[in-house]
Amino acid sequence: DTGVSQNPRHKITKRGQNVTFRCDPISEHNRLYWYRQTLGQGPEFLTYFQNEAQLEKSRLLSDRFSAERPKGSFSTLEIQRTEQGDSAMYLCASSLARTGSYSGANVLTFGAGSRLTVL
Amino acid sequence: GQQVMQIPQYQHVQEGEDFTTYCNSSTTLSNIQWYKQRPGGHPVFLIQLVKSGEVKKQKRLTFQFGEAKKNSSLHITATQTTDVGTYFCAGPQAGTALIFGKGTTLSVSS
């Protein structure tokens, strides 16, 4: 297993354009998370999936952001009509949630991230 | 909503000195996790604490979970240059998403 893979690693776009990031999680992991990180800050939760179901979305997530995980494997995060404030590192993470256990089972394995620069 | 706060934000030490970072949650946590992010890298899981008052050690790193399960600390004994990076604590909020603190960035001079 090669871990969590994210593409592209870097994306430079002009304001108003749409961008899409892809995340391939660890194959046996059933949960997939998207976080955003800006300089000097911790990862900020955006949304997460269990298999193909999107179970939670941050209230901070603008309606310009949409995430999918159609077959419960890879996921895409699309940002429409990008703004300069969207410039950040977008981190994907995956975990294996075991049924019948406490939520402490959610140890995250992060990918290397996709860095977005909006000009 | 739940908040996770860390202090200090930055810490510079001489190699060989000790280092401690503190984490406080606005709510009781079922567990707390610690991650390390090297400069230019991504967060990497270090440890998870579950029990009230739990103490775990990883070589020179000692992790504690408070009795009330609302605070935690990471102590590094005799820092080395390889300890450089940002240390994050994270706790699950009402759902299952982990909420991260802003981290403590450690720099070490030799």
Side-chain angles (χ1 to χ4, degrees):
Chain A
D1 194 344
T2 56
V4 178
S5 177
Q6 292 189 246
N7 289 288
R9 293 291 310 278
H10 303 274
K11 179 70 175 180
I12 300 174
T13 191
K14 293 182 179 179
R15 187 178 55 185
Q17 297 296 305
N18 299 344
V19 295
T20 299
F21 301 114
R22 174 177 170 130
C23 173
D24 288 88
I26 292 174
S27 55
E28 60 265 29
H29 284 183
N30 53 2
R31 285 189 175 162
L32 186 149
Y33 305 77
W34 286 100
Y35 284 82
R36 176 172 60 191
Q37 187 177 28
T38 53
L39 193 63
Q41 302 294 315
E44 176 190 22
F45 170 72
L46 296 179
T47 188
Y48 94 92
F49 295 83
Q50 178 149 326
N51 301 313
E52 65 274 13
Q54 188 172 19
L55 295 188
E56 194 172 345
K57 289 173 63 174
S58 168
R59 290 174 299 168
L60 302 175
L61 198 63
S62 159
D63 58 6
R64 296 183 297 105
F65 287 68
S66 62
E68 294 183 341
R69 195 183 184 198
K71 297 182 179 179
S73 56
F74 74 91
S75 175
T76 58
L77 176 68
E78 181 183 20
I79 308 174
Q80 296 182 326
R81 304 181 303 280
T82 52
E83 301 173 355
Q84 288 184 326
D86 297 332
S87 295
M89 177 72 83
Y90 289 84
L91 293 165
C92 176
S94 67
S95 72
L96 177 62
R98 296 177 179 86
T99 57
S101 66
Y102 54 80
S103 63
N106 295 324
V107 171
L108 303 184
T109 301
F110 281 89
S114 292
R115 181 169 297 282
L116 173 64
T117 302
V118 182
L119 303 177
Chain B
Q2 175 190 321
Q3 293 185 353
V4 176
M5 295 149 286
Q6 284 185 254
I7 56 170
Q9 187 175 2
Y10 301 99
Q11 182 80 59
H12 177 79
V13 299
Q14 295 289 322
E15 190 173 23
E17 292 182 337
D18 292 355
F19 160 77
T20 304
T21 173
Y22 300 91
C23 176
N24 289 283
S25 170
S26 57
T27 59
T28 301
L29 300 170
S30 60
N31 71 89
I32 195 159
Q33 299 178 23
W34 286 89
Y35 291 76
K36 177 183 179 180
Q37 185 172 24
R38 295 181 185 275
H42 56 277
V44 175
F45 172 75
L46 292 177
I47 207 160
Q48 180 181 80
L49 304 171
V50 177
K51 298 177 183 177
S52 170
E54 187 171 14
V55 178
K56 286 189 175 180
K57 292 189 175 183
Q58 288 180 350
K59 298 182 180 178
R60 295 177 295 103
L61 277 61
T62 301
F63 303 84
Q64 288 190 310
F65 200 9
E67 294 290 340
K69 301 183 77 172
K70 293 182 72 174
N71 58 72
S72 181
S73 65
L74 159 58
H75 180 82
I76 303 178
T77 303
T79 55
Q80 299 175 359
T81 55
T82 53
D83 296 325
V84 163
T86 300
Y87 294 85
F88 296 101
C89 63
Q93 66 172 14
T96 54
L98 275 180
I99 303 301
F100 284 75
K102 291 187 175 182
T104 296
T105 298
L106 172 65
S107 59
V108 181
S109 54
S110 57

